[in-house]
Amino acid sequence: MELIAALSIQGAQMALVLALSPLLTGFIRKVKARLTRRRGPPLLQPYRDLWRLMRKEVVLATSASWLFRVAPYLIFAGTWVAAALVPTFATGLMFSWSADLIAIVALLGAARFFLALAGMDVGTSFGGAGSSREVMIASLAEPAMLMVIFALALLAGSTQLSTVASYMLSSNVGLRVTLALALVALIMVAIAENARIPVDNPATHLELTMVHEAMVLEYSGRHLAVIELASFLKLLLYVSLIGCVFAPWGLAPAGAAWQAHLIGGAAYIAKLALAGVLLAIFETAVAKMRVFRVPTFLSAAFMMGILGVLLLFVSRGGLR
């Protein structure tokens, strides 16, 4: 019975992130529309778009290889596994031993690798430009992400997310400048990784500026639906990661009763709603930057991560 209960809770988390990811995107779009005094699309429009794409016929370019057909499913699988590993409403799940920050970064890196290859596979100029920009952004975002992980690992003594969340809930945390710097750096990395404003505008299809859309321009039908769902999952992943590490309140501990899991689920939905509102306000208030300024943006995140680690070393007497 305990094994069945553990599998059920783990399966519920996997289904939860898959079901809520389009809703989060739809909620952000709705809030942005309201902030600009527009009616905006329905809240469930992402679900309708996915269903419409799934029913459409797939059109493939004559120069497309087998990689072009397989890549969407590999991207979706890697992103879904990474999103399901992040604790959402409970810690100590059945596969929590594999919920490691470095493993999540590796899964996202593998998904990005296949996406960039798929963008270049057909041989169009837009796909090549989008892939090169994606790799450029990744080469700057991943070191910043690793510095944030290093800072959290030094504080919590582990890169395992359940351990980090338990440490953040303990009384040993206190007010630390390192955590503030790590939070800002992680938010900047999340914005860049999800191609959000000011790095990219997900609502435009201008060929000279788009990054993600340029790589998937040749996809259609169910292939495009799978890639779009993977992008929804990636946004939810980063929001869940920020909530798990820096706002772990409401997470049900290992072996808790079902009431604690319900409270954790309600707290998780509240975190998603708050993050959606804040992201919509931020994207409405700022403008998109030029693509040549993105390295400066991500370099600032990397420097914040390094500064947080150095401050932690100094506070512990690690540097003489």
Side-chain angles (χ1 to χ4, degrees):
M1 289 298 294
E2 293 183 359
L3 178 61
I4 295 176
L7 285 174
S8 301
I9 296 174
Q10 185 69 63
Q13 171 160 304
M14 296 184 68
L16 183 67
V17 295
L18 187 63
L20 290 182
S21 55
L23 184 62
L24 176 62
T25 301
F27 179 71
I28 294 173
R29 293 174 181 173
K30 192 69 173 181
V31 174
K32 288 177 67 176
R34 291 299 185 182
L35 290 174
T36 54
R37 297 186 178 182
R38 294 183 293 109
R39 183 177 180 181
L43 191 63
L44 301 180
Q45 188 62 42
Y47 296 99
R48 298 177 182 176
D49 293 339
L50 292 174
W51 177 247
R52 175 174 53 86
L53 289 173
M54 289 295 293
R55 297 174 62 186
K56 281 191 172 183
E57 182 183 358
V58 175
V59 179
L60 293 173
T62 56
S63 58
S65 68
W66 63 270
L67 178 64
F68 190 81
R69 301 177 179 88
V70 175
Y73 304 104
L74 296 176
I75 295 167
F76 170 74
T79 309
W80 189 18
V81 171
L85 290 179
V86 180
T88 56
F89 60 88
T91 59
L93 298 181
M94 186 172 185
F95 298 114
S96 61
W97 57 270
S98 60
D100 189 272
L101 284 167
I102 298 178
I104 291 173
V105 171
L107 287 170
L108 293 177
R112 185 188 302 108
F113 172 73
F114 287 111
L115 182 60
L117 285 182
M120 296 185 295
D121 185 75
V122 180
T124 59
S125 57
F126 289 148
S131 297
S132 63
R133 291 172 182 173
E134 178 73 10
V135 173
M136 181 267 292
I137 293 173
S139 64
L140 298 170
E142 286 188 357
M145 184 68 180
L146 290 175
M147 293 308 302
V148 172
I149 294 173
F150 189 33
L152 293 174
L154 287 175
L155 280 172
S158 174
T159 56
Q160 207 268 342
L161 279 171
S162 294
T163 304
V164 174
S166 300
Y167 176 80
M168 296 296 288
L169 284 172
S170 66
S171 58
N172 299 325
V173 181
L175 295 176
R176 294 179 181 269
V177 180
T178 298
L179 290 177
L181 293 173
L183 174 59
V184 175
L186 182 57
I187 292 174
M188 296 172 71
V189 170
I191 290 173
E193 289 276 25
N194 289 279
R196 309 293 302 193
I197 295 175
V199 175
D200 190 18
N201 188 356
T204 186
H205 293 274
L206 183 61
E207 292 86 352
L208 296 177
T209 61
M210 60 185 181
V211 179
H212 174 76
E213 295 296 332
M215 292 183 290
V216 301
L217 202 60
E218 297 296 324
Y219 277 109
S220 61
R222 63 178 182 275
H223 292 161
L224 182 58
V226 171
I227 290 180
E228 288 297 317
L229 183 55
S231 66
F232 298 158
L233 279 168
K234 191 174 182 179
L235 178 61
L236 182 80
L237 184 153
Y238 275 96
V239 173
S240 302
L241 185 61
I242 294 172
C244 172
V245 174
F246 296 98
W249 306 290
L251 287 173
W258 62 270
Q259 293 90 343
H261 290 91
L262 290 179
I263 294 174
Y268 177 62
I269 294 175
K271 294 174 188 177
L272 291 181
L274 178 60
V277 171
L278 293 177
L279 182 58
I281 294 174
F282 175 77
E283 291 188 343
T284 306
V286 302
K288 182 187 176 301
M289 66 175 66
R290 296 177 62 189
V291 67
F292 301 107
R293 301 189 65 180
V294 174
T296 305
F297 179 80
L298 291 174
S299 297
F302 180 68
M303 292 305 299
M304 286 184 183
I306 290 181
L307 185 59
V309 173
L310 291 177
L311 288 175
L312 190 60
F313 269 114
V314 170
S315 64
R316 293 184 174 181
L319 296 178
R320 300 292 181 181

